[in-house]
């Protein structure tokens, strides 16, 4: 259970005379808090031993220590095959610690490290040892129905949580406690204080060593799903304990109509059982009940528990209350008591809106003159008058009309959620040591649903050609429905009216959710697009997260300008510009970076307050649909984001033609880009941004750093299996180093591992889809026929899937097809140029209709600047390649398109001028 979920705790600072030199071994926010409080008490932390950075993000303990200048060591492991790593142990010993402190340490630490300090090592464990030794202690505290929970700080030995006890603390377990509530209420804050106290007891020579008794000792392993079935033939409390102890992972389950159904969110039911519809449950003593509160289950003692959520075998999770329900709920019928509360609230509204003669059902809070301070007053007055209702300021903004506000209030009063809980039909796959859950339907107006015509198609895993799952194949009617939802969300929904900082907050939350799901997103990207998993994790997903965070920060920084104009006496005018969202924007996403291109295109649109309709590439729809699920969890209002998978000729064309779409962003080929631009002009003159084809030149001079030029030159071509818009489509290598350069490139290619993209050691994965592989093979055949020299590759790798061998052509002349046309694959096209012929090679490099990217390798700064200023491309790399950043604009020249992604430029606005004349009495 992640300690990062809890609130930071600070211990009261006291002065102690005796201090120790400490090594902290562990990770998490808990470790960070222990570290900070030990420092505050005057102990010297001589070294922090934590885990390596994850996706460039250091563990909280490492962050705090590095900020203080404390030595930090990030070892991925301490032992190999059970034996300590000598270099790691020696590094540890060098800090000279007198005591090891292990707060939530997940690694296996060798005994020659545990026993090395003069005072040994102490460890925090979340149970009252010897009870519940092992990794799932808190879970078993609940499963076993313990009346007390707690933690132990013990001296480490060579057993599993068996060392002598130093100190223990305990707390009562409440009837409806969960792992989270126990942790946040007691185990986290009191655990930090106890760790500090334990260290001081050791420093003062007062620390006890109490042997753990054999009596009462227990060890329970981590539960498996197969063992988590609920035994309904026992009292209700035992059933409840089993469910809450298994909550989240692996989930306790029962059988309904022959199907395994997992139960989440259990509580003991006291008082009258609500009325509901009977539900037969296998092995139950009596039928369950589906009520408006959830699923009621009975124990053998006829007592009841309430279950909030149900998850089916296909991964779909629903509120238990909706097991039998269909359709939208209508306005609520209020009870007499609720009607009285409504009139009390009407009086509160009248007290705030004193300028309004009468509060009607149709009275709008803000149109009647209320301000943001009045929102706080309204919420607090209602909380005081109607205790128990958890209102938030945001609730007022979402229900500004009195009758809507009362409906929202009553639903909260009854414990009902005003927003439909997302229901997802998942395709699931056990892969990459996890179970990935993948939505596969169209996502329109906040819901997943089948295409109107019911059509579906197979999305293929390029690693082996197998079918991953079937995906909805959207029709023109689905596009129209999605656009209508986006238009309604823009015109009438909360997104455009929202305070920009609140909009930014939701985008930050979306980025956090993407980070929480980054391994799953990267796995889906790997199986759907063929991206090597490590690259998918860092770039496909990692840069997507960065992009949303960057544009979340722009939401409240979008500004117009004031303009001095010539005054026409006697009037004085103020003129300023306003940047306003366009409305509905459409995005057509390519298949080489499915999630990252979605992020690049959509984050700026959303930050500006626009709504979206997105079409993922037909061959790679799955990360876009998973993204849609995360937008709901982030709280993005319905209709703001809509995703319609399908064909470009049908779905993409309808987007270009649609009269209610105000801007279209497209990444793809130049011929299709021209067609889209024409359709956008004819339909309604919608704005267009295009990122199209490329044939990026890379010039390598003989004074380059050869090692770097070889490494980066290969990356410029083979990065992401060559399916890279800015890939170097043609390398120009100076004659005197040409042969050496080619020899070294081929040597390095032979070292590349071609294989399963989920294998962490793989360098080169499969091409995205079969048709593209066939196109690449044909491209190589044309190159050979035209007389270019095939030095390496040019063939399909002999294994299942769509693998193309990294390929190198030399002696490529300027007139050849492969010198002019983009391969969009792992094909290095090399031409030589005469030594010193800078202007000549520049002319050849610029002799293309494309201008997306370019590069130059040289140690001569003057030459680098001369060449970079004359290369006709939107991006120029000097002694590097493939470096992009969310803060820097990206886009092309000539037939590589126009418009920019990333940086300050892209948010799509209407930039309107406002003339304001001075008003006189």
């Amino acid at each position: 259970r992640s300690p990062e979920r809890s609130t930071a705790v600070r211990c009261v600072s006291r002065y102690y005379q005796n201090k120790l030199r400490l090594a902290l071994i562990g990770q998490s926010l808990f470790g960070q808090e222990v570290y900070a409080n030990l420092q505050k008490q005057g102990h010297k932390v001589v070294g922090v031993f934590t885990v390596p950075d994850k996706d460039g993000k250091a563990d909280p303990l490492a962050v705090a220590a590095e900020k203080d200048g404390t030595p930090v060591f990030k070892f991925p492991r301490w032992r190999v095959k059970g034996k300590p790593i000598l270099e790691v142990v020696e590094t540890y010993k060098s800090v000279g610690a007198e005591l090891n402190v292990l707060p939530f340490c997940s690694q296996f630490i060798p005994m020659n490290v545990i026993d090395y300090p003069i005072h040994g090592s102490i460890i925090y464990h979340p149970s009252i040892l010897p009870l519940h030794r092992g990794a799932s202690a808190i879970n078993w505290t609940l499963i076993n129905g313990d009346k007390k929970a707690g933690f132990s700080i013990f001296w480490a030995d060579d057993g599993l949580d068996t060392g002598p006890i130093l100190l223990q603390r305990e707390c009562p377990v409440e009837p409806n406690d969960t792992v989270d509530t126990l942790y946040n209420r007691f185990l986290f804050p009191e655990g930090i204080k106890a760790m500090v106290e334990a260290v001081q007891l050791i420093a003062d020579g007062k620390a006890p060593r109490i042997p753990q008794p054999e009596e009462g000792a227990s060890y329970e392993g981590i539960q498996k799903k197969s063992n988590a079935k609920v035994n309904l033939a026992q009292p209700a409390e035992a059933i409840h304990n089993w469910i809450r102890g298994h909550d989240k992972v692996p989930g306790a389950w029962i059988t309904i109509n022959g199907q395994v159904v997992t139960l989440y969110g259990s509580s003991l039911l006291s008082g009258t059982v609500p009325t509901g519809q009977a539900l037969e449950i296998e092995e139950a003593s009596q039928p369950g009940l589906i009520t408006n509160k959830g699923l009621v289950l009975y124990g053998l003692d006829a007592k009841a528990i309430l279950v909030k959520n149900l998850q089916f075998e296909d991964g779909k999770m629903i509120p238990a209350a909706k097991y039998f329900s269909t359709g939208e709920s209508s306005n609520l019928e209020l009870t007499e008591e609720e009607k009285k509360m409504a009139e009390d609230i009407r009086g509160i509204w009248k007290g705030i809106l004193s300028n309004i003669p009468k509060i009607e059902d149709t009275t709008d809070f803000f149109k009647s003159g209320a301000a943001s301070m009045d929102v706080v007053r309204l919420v607090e007055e209602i909380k005081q008058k109607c205790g128990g209702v958890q209102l938030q300021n945001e609730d007022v903004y979402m229900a500004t009309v009195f009758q809507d506000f009362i409906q929202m209030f009553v639903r909260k009063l009854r414990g009902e959620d005003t927003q439909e809980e997302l229901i997802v039909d998942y395709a699931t796959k056990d892969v990459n040591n996890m179970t990935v859950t993948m939505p596969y339907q169209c996502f329109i107006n906040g819901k997943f649903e089948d295409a109107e015509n019911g059509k579906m198609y197979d999305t293929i895993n390029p690693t082996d050609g197998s079918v991953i799952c079937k995906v909805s194949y959207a029709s023109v009617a689905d596009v129209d429905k999605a656009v209508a939802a986006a238009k309604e969300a823009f015109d009438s929904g909360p997104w455009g009216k929202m305070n920009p900082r609140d909009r930014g907050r939701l985008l930050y939350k979306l980025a956090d959710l993407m980070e929480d799901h980054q391994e799953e997103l990267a796995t889906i990207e790997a199986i759907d697009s063929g991206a090597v998993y490590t690259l998918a994790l860092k770039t496909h997903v990692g840069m997507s997260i960065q992009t949303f965070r960057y544009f979340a920060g722009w939401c409240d920084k979008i500004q117009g300008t004031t303009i001095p104009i010539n005054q026409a006496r006697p009037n004085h005018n103020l003129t300023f510009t306003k940047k306003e969202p366009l409305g509905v924007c459409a995005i057509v996403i390519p298949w080489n970076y499915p999630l990252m291109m979605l992020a690049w295109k959509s984050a700026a649109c959303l930050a500006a307050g626009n709504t979206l309709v997105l079409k993922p590439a037909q061959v790679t729809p799955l990360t876009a649909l998973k993204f849609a699920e995360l937008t709901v969890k982030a709280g993005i209002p319905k209709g703001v984001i809509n995703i319609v998978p399908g064909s470009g000729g049908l779905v993409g064309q309808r987007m270009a033609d649609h009269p209610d779409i105000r801007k279209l962003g497209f990444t793809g080929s130049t011929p299709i880009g021209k067609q889209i631009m024409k359709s956008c002009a004819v339909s309604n003159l919608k704005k267009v941004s295009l990122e199209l084809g490329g044939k990026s030149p890379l010039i390598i001079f003989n004074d380059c750093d050869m090692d770097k030029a070889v490494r980066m030159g290969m990356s410029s071509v083979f990065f992401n299996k060559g399916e890279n818009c800015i890939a170097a489509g043609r390398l120009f290598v100076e004659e005197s180093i040409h042969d050496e350069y080619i020899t070294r490139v081929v040597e390095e290619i032979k070292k590349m591992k071609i294989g399963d993209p989920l294998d962490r050691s793989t360098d080169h994965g499969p091409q995205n889809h079969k048709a593209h592989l066939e196109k690449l093979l044909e491209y190589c055949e044309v190159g050979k026929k035209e007389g270019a020299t095939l030095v390496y590759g040019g063939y399909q790798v002999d294994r299942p899937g769509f693998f193309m061998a990294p390929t190198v052509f030399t002696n490529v002349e300027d007139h050849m097809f492969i010198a002019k046309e983009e391969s969009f694959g792992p094909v290095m096209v090399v031409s030589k140029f005469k030594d010193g012929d800078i202007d000549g090679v520049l002319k050849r490099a610029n002799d293309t209709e494309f201008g997306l990217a370019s590069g130059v390798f040289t140690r001569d700064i003057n030459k680098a600047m001369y060449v970079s200023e004359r290369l006709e491309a939107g991006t120029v790399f000097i002694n590097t390649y493939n470096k992009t950043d969310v803060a820097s604009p990206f886009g092309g020249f000539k037939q590589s398109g126009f418009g920019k992604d990333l940086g300050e430029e892209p948010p799509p606005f209407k930039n309107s001028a406002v003339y304001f004349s001075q008003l006189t009495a």
Side-chain angles (χ1 to χ4, degrees):
R1 186 62 57 163
S2 172
E4 281 76 353
R5 293 164 62 104
S6 297
T7 307
V9 175
R10 295 285 185 263
C11 300
V12 178
S13 184
R14 290 180 290 172
Y15 179 78
Y16 292 100
Q17 183 174 0
N18 302 309
K19 306 300 173 189
L20 291 176
R21 292 167 56 84
L22 307 174
L24 258 69
I25 307 175
Q27 66 276 332
S28 75
L29 185 60
F30 184 92
Q32 181 192 60
E33 290 294 318
V34 169
Y35 165 83
N37 282 286
L38 287 170
Q39 293 272 84
K40 188 185 296 184
Q41 298 300 334
H43 296 287
K44 175 68 174 177
V45 178
V46 293
V48 164
F49 299 83
T50 184
V51 291
D53 294 359
K54 187 176 182 181
D55 245 9
K57 185 178 179 182
D59 181 82
L61 174 57
V63 171
E66 287 170 342
K67 185 177 179 181
D68 293 342
T70 301
V72 176
F73 307 89
K74 301 176 183 180
F75 299 136
R77 64 188 62 83
W78 292 71
R79 305 189 298 186
V80 173
K81 296 181 179 180
K83 294 183 178 180
I85 302 171
L86 183 61
E87 296 85 352
V88 171
V89 172
E90 290 304 314
T91 301
Y92 158 78
K93 289 180 178 179
S94 69
V95 302
E98 297 170 316
L99 173 70
N100 292 331
V101 179
L102 284 75
F104 275 111
C105 178
S106 65
Q107 296 173 315
F108 293 99
I109 310 302
M111 288 308 298
N112 56 348
V113 171
I114 291 292
D115 293 334
Y116 183 79
I118 188 173
H119 295 294
S121 302
I122 59 170
I123 303 178
Y124 172 95
H125 187 77
S127 83
I128 308 172
L129 292 172
L131 193 63
H132 308 313
R133 294 169 179 164
S136 299
I138 314 176
N139 305 74
W140 284 100
T141 296
L142 296 174
I143 293 169
N144 287 356
D146 296 350
K147 300 305 179 185
K148 293 188 298 183
F151 59 81
S152 304
I153 296 171
F154 67 99
W155 301 91
D157 65 3
D158 58 354
L160 185 61
D161 308 328
T162 57
I165 302 297
L166 195 160
L167 63 79
Q168 292 180 318
R169 297 284 186 271
E170 60 185 49
C171 71
V173 178
E174 301 298 332
N176 289 319
D177 260 331
T178 64
V179 170
D180 284 349
T181 59
L182 275 176
Y183 185 79
N184 293 329
R185 183 177 80 244
F186 184 80
L187 300 176
F188 180 91
E190 295 304 318
I192 292 165
K193 296 175 185 176
M195 287 295 277
V196 176
E197 181 182 344
V199 170
Q200 195 58 53
L201 286 171
I202 296 168
D204 294 338
K206 299 177 181 179
R209 289 177 178 263
I210 305 168
Q212 290 192 40
E214 288 299 319
E215 185 180 351
S218 67
Y219 171 81
E220 300 96 349
I222 298 172
Q223 276 289 76
K224 296 180 180 179
K225 187 75 173 182
S226 58
N227 297 331
K229 184 178 181 180
V230 181
N231 176 12
L232 296 169
Q234 54 183 337
E237 185 175 353
I239 297 172
H240 164 63
N241 289 338
W242 185 262
I243 295 170
R244 64 175 174 154
H246 287 83
D247 203 69
K248 304 290 192 298
V249 179
W253 55 275
I254 57 177
T255 307
I256 303 175
N257 295 325
Q259 185 179 15
V260 169
V261 179
T262 305
L263 312 177
Y264 294 107
S266 173
S267 58
L268 290 169
L269 195 58
S270 58
T272 305
V273 175
T275 58
Q277 186 173 348
L279 177 66
E280 290 295 330
I281 297 169
E282 293 182 21
E283 302 178 5
S285 59
Q286 65 184 92
L289 278 181
I290 296 295
T291 74
N292 63 353
K293 301 286 187 181
L295 168 63
V296 175
L297 293 175
Y298 293 91
L300 282 180
D301 54 358
K303 293 182 180 179
I305 66 168
L306 186 69
V307 175
K308 183 178 180 183
N309 295 313
L310 306 176
Q311 187 174 36
F312 299 97
E313 288 177 286
D314 60 2
K316 179 172 70 176
M317 183 179 285
I318 65 168
K322 298 188 181 298
Y323 185 86
F324 291 122
S325 67
T326 57
E328 298 288 337
S329 58
S330 57
N331 282 347
L332 300 171
E333 288 290 333
L334 273 57
T335 65
E336 290 303 316
E337 186 178 356
E338 289 165 349
K339 287 177 182 177
K340 183 180 182 304
M341 285 188 176
E343 289 310 306
D344 289 341
I345 294 172
R346 195 185 298 269
I348 295 172
W349 276 53
K350 183 67 180 74
I352 296 171
L353 302 175
S354 56
N355 56 313
I356 303 297
K358 184 180 179 182
I359 303 298
E360 306 283 356
D361 284 352
T362 55
T363 299
D364 187 288
F365 192 68
F366 294 106
K367 289 180 180 177
S368 301
S372 59
M373 190 61 220
D374 298 315
V375 173
V376 178
R377 177 181 166 185
L378 175 61
V379 168
E380 294 305 316
E381 279 199 57
I382 291 175
K383 283 182 180 178
Q384 189 176 48
K385 189 86 173 178
C386 312
V389 178
Q390 295 300 311
L391 275 185
Q392 305 292 332
N393 293 353
E394 195 65 27
D395 295 324
V396 183
Y397 292 106
M398 295 300 133
T400 62
V401 175
F402 183 76
Q403 60 184 358
D404 296 337
F405 185 86
I406 293 300
Q407 287 285 311
M408 176 272 298
F409 171 82
V410 172
R411 289 185 191 279
K412 283 186 173 289
L413 189 68
R414 295 180 183 180
E416 299 175 8
D417 195 352
T418 57
Q419 186 175 351
E420 283 280 332
E421 190 157 345
L422 183 67
I423 297 174
V424 188
D425 283 334
Y426 289 114
T428 61
K429 196 170 184 68
D430 292 324
V431 62
N432 201 24
N433 298 318
M434 67 180 77
T435 300
V436 295
T437 57
M438 299 169 285
Y440 58 84
Q441 297 166 294
C442 301
F443 181 73
I444 299 173
N445 205 25
K447 293 181 180 179
F448 286 104
E449 55 187 46
D450 292 333
E452 189 170 281
N453 56 17
K455 287 187 177 181
M456 303 187 82
Y457 70 96
D458 294 337
T459 185
I460 304 298
N461 184 341
T463 301
D464 58 11
S466 64
V467 175
I468 301 170
C469 65
K470 290 186 176 294
V471 177
S472 291
Y473 191 79
S475 65
V476 167
D478 295 305
V479 177
D480 291 346
K481 187 177 178 182
V483 173
K487 190 173 188 300
E488 174 67 19
F490 181 78
D491 292 340
S492 307
W495 189 247
K497 304 169 188 174
M498 194 177 289
N499 183 306
R501 288 182 188 171
D502 291 334
R503 191 160 61 240
R505 177 177 55 82
L506 292 179
L507 293 181
Y508 276 123
K509 187 175 181 181
L510 176 57
D512 289 342
L513 281 165
M514 292 171 72
E515 187 168 51
D516 291 342
H517 290 263
Q518 61 186 331
E519 288 88 359
E520 187 176 21
L521 286 166
T523 301
I524 296 171
E525 199 84 319
I527 64 174
D528 202 25
S529 78
V532 171
Y533 176 76
T534 50
L535 177 65
L537 199 59
K538 179 184 183 297
T539 301
H540 290 239
V541 179
M543 196 171 187
S544 300
I545 295 165
Q546 292 177 30
T547 302
F548 273 100
R549 287 198 174 124
Y550 177 81
F551 284 108
W554 266 110
C555 288
D556 62 352
K557 300 171 185 67
I558 297 166
Q559 302 175 4
T561 56
T562 56
I563 305 171
I565 63 171
N566 188 41
Q567 302 294 343
R569 296 178 182 177
N571 294 327
H572 293 279
N573 295 287
L574 168 67
T575 305
F576 58 90
T577 60
K578 290 177 63 181
K579 292 185 176 181
E580 301 173 315
L582 289 166
V584 181
C585 296
I587 297 172
V588 179
I589 301 163
W591 47 256
N592 59 328
Y593 294 102
L595 185 64
M596 191 176 80
M597 288 295 100
L598 178 153
W600 281 26
K601 303 288 183 188
S602 65
C605 288
L606 293 169
N610 297 288
T611 57
L612 302 177
V613 180
L614 300 96
K615 190 199 88 65
Q618 184 173 340
V619 291
T620 54
L622 295 179
T623 43
L625 294 171
K626 187 69 181 180
F627 167 82
E629 179 190 352
L630 299 181
T631 67
V632 177
K633 292 181 178 180
I636 306 293
K638 67 178 185 178
V640 172
I641 296 171
N642 305 272
I643 297 180
V644 279
S647 76
L650 194 70
V651 174
Q653 187 61 50
R654 178 56 183 157
M655 288 177 171
D657 293 336
H658 204 291
D660 288 333
I661 290 175
R662 296 301 170 189
K663 180 178 179 182
L664 189 146
F666 170 77
T667 298
S669 72
T670 298
I672 299 299
K674 291 178 179 179
Q675 181 180 333
I676 284 175
M677 189 172 177
K678 181 178 179 181
S679 298
C680 288
V682 170
S683 58
N684 63 340
L685 275 176
K686 59 175 62 73
K687 289 176 176 286
V688 188
S689 62
L690 302 173
E691 186 206 314
L692 307 175
K695 190 65 176 173
S696 302
L698 173 58
I699 303 173
I700 300 174
F701 288 99
N702 60 14
D703 60 352
C704 67
D705 178 333
M706 180 62 83
D707 290 338
K708 193 172 187 181
V710 169
R711 185 173 68 254
M712 296 301 249
M714 291 179 65
S715 174
S716 75
V717 177
F718 302 132
F719 188 84
N720 202 47
K721 333 97 122 215
E723 295 167 356
N724 188 22
C725 54
I726 57 173
R730 192 176 179 194
L731 277 65
F732 295 91
V733 182
E734 201 157 9
E735 196 169 41
S736 56
I737 62 167
H738 175 274
D739 292 350
E740 179 191 356
Y741 186 83
I742 298 300
T743 298
R744 292 188 58 176
V745 164
V746 171
E747 287 173 354
E748 292 303 313
I749 290 176
K750 290 176 180 178
K751 299 175 187 176
M752 292 172 65
K753 180 176 178 180
I754 301 172
D756 184 350
L758 293 175
D759 183 336
R760 304 306 192 265
S761 62
T762 294
D763 298 301
H764 189 75
Q767 304 309 136
N768 187 275
H769 51 282
K770 185 178 180 180
H772 183 55
L773 171 64
E774 292 170 348
K775 178 186 170 187
L776 288 172
L777 295 171
E778 183 180 343
Y779 184 92
C780 292
E781 288 302 312
V782 171
K784 288 191 288 184
K785 288 177 182 176
E786 285 190 320
T789 302
L790 177 61
V791 176
Y792 193 88
Y795 57 87
Q796 180 178 355
V797 178
D798 185 16
R799 57 171 293 154
F802 313 138
F803 290 84
M804 174 80 181
T807 299
V808 179
F809 278 102
T810 60
N811 297 321
V812 178
E813 298 178 11
D814 295 354
H815 63 84
M816 291 180 179
F817 176 84
I818 64 172
K820 294 182 173 297
E821 295 298 323
E822 181 180 29
S823 72
F824 212 66
V827 182
M828 181 180 283
V829 176
V830 185
S831 300
K832 66 176 68 171
F833 67 95
K834 292 182 179 180
D835 287 4
D837 188 11
I838 298 175
D839 290 328
V841 75
L842 270 171
K843 183 177 180 181
R844 295 171 69 190
N846 288 328
D847 186 19
T848 173
E849 275 300 300
F850 301 109
L852 192 56
S854 60
V856 54
F857 277 80
T858 176
R859 283 190 170 98
D860 185 335
I861 184 64
N862 293 319
K863 188 190 297 182
M865 296 306 297
Y866 179 87
V867 171
S868 64
E869 288 171 1
R870 285 160 178 77
L871 284 168
E872 298 168 357
T875 299
V876 182
F877 299 107
I878 301 176
N879 293 327
T880 187
Y881 211 90
N882 283 325
K883 176 62 183 173
T884 54
D885 188 87
V886 295
S888 178
F890 178 91
F893 299 163
K894 299 189 282 191
Q895 291 196 44
S896 286
F898 52 84
K900 297 288 186 182
D901 290 323
L902 310 180
E904 298 181 27
E905 298 185 41
F909 293 109
K910 295 178 289 189
N911 203 4
S912 55
V914 179
Y915 291 83
F916 194 105
S917 178
Q918 178 183 359
L919 300 178
T920 55

